[in-house]
Amino acid sequence: MTIDEVVREVENNKIQQIQCLYVDNGGIVRGKVSSAKTLKQHMVGGIGLTPAMQAMNMMDELNLDSGLGPVGEIRLIPDPESFRVLPYLSRTASMMCDMVALTGNPWTVCSRSFLRRQVDHAKTLGFRIIAAYEDEFSLAHATPEGSYVPLDPTLCFSSSGMVAAHAVIADIMDALESQGIDPEQYYPELGHGQHELSVSPREVLQAADNQVRYRETVRAVAAQHGLKASFAPKPWPDQAGNGAHIHFSVWDIDADRNVFWDPDDPYHLSMLGYQFAAGVLAHLPALVALTCASVNSYRRLNPRSWSSAYTAFGPDNREAAVRIASVFWGNEARSINLELKASDSSANPYLALGGLIAAGLDGVARQLPPVPPLLVDPATLSDAEREKRHIARLPQSLGEALDALEKDEVLKEALGPDLLTAYVSVKRSEIAHFRLHDAEYEFRQHFEKF
Ligand code: GLU
Ligand code: MG
């Protein structure tokens, strides 16, 4: 869409407000609203923002170690391609923004520009990346005492769970579809009040934008049903965690061809696919600082939780951090993909997907040898067996993951020093914040914010 086409859509739909959104270093979706009349001016000239917003953590604390302070200015530039009328708010649309420095160049601390850079890097190699988030979320009632109780105590995949959540899920599916996000499968998940709704893959920048729209849509539609929806990685101590697994594949830039496909491999994964997976696994202890981005994330990554706890790789192995997803009949060559399980919705999706691409392409560049597929639950192996197979425990806290990120030359270079410094300091300030409080407070804050 061009700027003028967006303006016409705004007029035709009698839109009053356009939410111009971005995701910050704390993983929170924020933005400013443009009026319909001023939208054109905002698309051309940008919307002013203080750089300090990229120094803010999920508790709205400004973090001065980030290198970002009260002085200066950047511009939010809404991407015309991302314009969507919001079906759940009257006369309102949303657009995703890039952050641009006053020089006119992409701002070095902009996460969407970081993902664009990784997409461009892939393009120079002849590749485009296709991805889909597979989100789980919790639906809950707020009690008069101020706590949250799960909507339903039903069983995993149970038909009674489908009935319990039917009305809200129906409206969520409609609302996603009207924004160009195609629901694929829905089911009640293992945890009480936990539901999963998967969507079709898209070009990776759009997949990241869709993850923002998805989080916004689920929460808003649930609220209209009098429910709280939360994407907190671990919503309740005794219930399953909410994952946001990432399915991804690499395609030829010029041809409609999935280059992860190899009909002759036992798992139908090409050498390029094995190299990409090996890159992701090699960087995983650092990558999780981007994909499992909150203090609460590390309560989810436990053995025997199907969330992954080790740097393991295997075909249809639901305890492996990277799974080769088996192909579907009639669609073999297109459907081969890898799944990253060590990922949740407290992450900034632009950072998570950009980091995933940087890690995978590093495996391709170095032509890493295929990691032997693991056909058992890694938790059943002895420490010695795991060590022999180079299977390591994933970081057990956000702090450990950030330590690994600060040592990972490939991810550091991809992020660049400004984004890395801002991100790490914001995340370390969240660790410091939650250290001052008890576990109940941490659960509660993540439940409410995500
Ligand atoms: N809830 C699990 C997680 O934390 C995933 C269960 C599954 O879909 O396999 O990732
Ligand atoms: Mg699931």
Side-chain angles (χ1 to χ4, degrees):
M1 291 232 274
T2 62
I3 288 179
D4 286 330
E5 280 165 352
V6 170
V7 170
R8 259 199 307 281
E9 280 288 296
V10 164
E11 283 166 7
N12 292 345
N13 288 285
K14 300 194 167 45
I15 297 292
Q16 177 195 55
Q17 300 178 35
I18 301 91
Q19 298 180 346
C20 299
L21 302 177
Y22 66 92
V23 186
D24 72 5
N25 280 323
I28 304 294
V29 184
R30 302 184 192 251
K32 291 187 177 182
V33 170
S34 170
S35 70
K37 275 211 183 90
T38 54
L39 182 64
K40 183 163 183 176
Q41 169 195 326
H42 286 137
M43 281 191 284
V44 174
I47 296 170
L49 190 75
T50 163
M53 288 309 292
Q54 284 295 70
M56 206 166 239
N57 68 18
M58 65 170 275
M59 301 306 298
D60 257 4
E61 293 167 330
L62 265 187
N63 171 38
L64 298 173
D65 301 336
S66 60
L68 304 167
V71 182
E73 171 92 349
I74 59 150
R75 298 278 188 256
L76 293 176
I77 302 284
D79 179 351
E81 285 297 329
S82 71
F83 178 84
R84 298 288 187 281
V85 176
L86 295 183
Y88 54 84
L89 291 180
S90 71
R91 298 173 62 205
T92 301
S94 78
M95 296 179 80
M96 303 302 147
C97 295
D98 293 304
M99 294 173 165
V100 177
L102 291 187
T103 57
N105 293 323
W107 189 36
T108 48
V109 192
C110 171
S111 60
R112 200 165 182 266
S113 307
F114 162 68
L115 178 55
R116 281 183 189 282
R117 285 202 306 278
Q118 307 319 306
V119 169
D120 288 345
H121 180 211
K123 216 183 267 178
T124 62
L125 303 170
F127 302 136
R128 59 199 179 91
I129 317 287
I130 303 289
Y133 267 101
E134 184 185 283
D135 290 272
E136 295 167 331
F137 52 86
S138 304
L139 294 173
H141 290 291
T143 67
E145 298 75 45
S147 65
Y148 293 106
V149 293
L151 166 70
D152 59 286
T154 58
L155 303 176
C156 188
F157 300 168
S158 71
S159 54
S160 51
M162 296 175 196
V163 173
H166 182 269
V168 61
I169 297 294
D171 286 351
I172 289 170
M173 287 171 89
D174 280 343
L176 291 173
E177 216 160 347
S178 91
Q179 295 168 81
I181 303 172
D182 296 328
E184 287 199 344
Q185 277 185 39
Y186 156 71
Y187 37 87
E189 257 284 0
L190 178 65
H192 290 175
Q194 191 180 40
H195 296 264
E196 172 168 335
L197 177 58
S198 64
V199 300
S200 298
R202 293 284 189 267
E203 295 286 336
V204 68
L205 184 67
Q206 208 188 335
D209 288 346
N210 279 352
Q211 172 69 349
V212 179
R213 297 182 185 112
Y214 185 109
R215 281 167 52 179
E216 291 298 294
T217 302
V218 169
R219 286 190 305 219
V221 174
Q224 288 166 355
H225 284 256
L227 295 168
K228 168 76 183 165
S230 177
F231 290 84
K234 191 74 172 172
W236 290 288
D238 60 344
Q239 296 296 323
N242 287 315
H245 304 171
I246 302 173
H247 288 265
F248 57 97
S249 51
V250 175
W251 291 60
D252 192 312
I253 192 100
D254 300 314
D256 188 25
R257 190 171 67 87
N258 183 347
V259 294
F260 273 4
W261 166 248
D262 178 355
D264 299 326
D265 177 72
Y267 307 112
H268 303 124
L269 187 66
S270 65
M271 185 49 74
L272 186 122
Y274 281 104
Q275 291 170 348
F276 200 100
V280 173
L281 288 158
H283 294 285
L284 197 54
L287 181 61
V288 290
L290 303 176
T291 58
C292 300
S294 63
V295 168
N296 185 252
S297 295
Y298 293 82
R299 295 188 186 274
R300 169 181 162 255
L301 296 177
N302 282 311
R304 308 222 158 110
S305 307
W306 294 29
S307 57
S308 81
Y310 299 94
T311 60
F313 172 67
D316 286 342
N317 185 340
R318 286 173 175 76
E319 286 291 352
V322 180
R323 166 171 90 105
I324 311 172
S326 50
V327 297
F328 287 97
W329 300 316
N331 196 25
E332 288 83 351
R334 300 181 73 82
S335 62
I336 182 75
N337 71 87
L338 296 172
E339 177 187 36
L340 176 68
K341 286 186 164 274
S343 162
D344 68 55
S345 291
S346 64
N348 173 322
Y350 303 101
L351 296 178
L353 287 166
L356 177 69
I357 296 171
L361 290 181
D362 180 56
V364 175
R366 289 196 283 150
Q367 302 191 316
L368 290 181
V371 174
L374 180 73
L375 301 177
V376 298
D377 177 351
T380 62
L381 302 176
S382 67
D383 288 348
E385 279 172 306
R386 277 193 297 266
E387 207 178 313
K388 203 172 86 203
R389 296 172 195 237
H390 306 290
I391 295 172
R393 183 74 170 89
L394 289 173
Q396 286 173 260
S397 68
L398 180 58
E400 273 181 43
L402 292 168
D403 291 345
L405 180 64
E406 286 188 299
K407 291 193 196 104
D408 189 303
E409 293 306 326
V410 169
L411 292 179
K412 274 165 64 176
E413 198 192 320
L415 289 162
D418 297 351
L419 182 53
L420 178 80
T421 304
Y423 182 75
V424 170
S425 63
V426 162
K427 287 292 151 186
R428 292 222 189 265
S429 76
E430 289 177 3
I431 296 170
H433 180 96
F434 289 110
R435 203 178 282 136
L436 299 176
H437 298 274
D438 62 9
E440 194 186 323
Y441 173 88
E442 175 219 301
F443 275 101
R444 167 91 191 195
Q445 290 302 329
H446 287 81
F447 198 89
E448 285 185 346
K449 304 288 187 300
F450 293 104

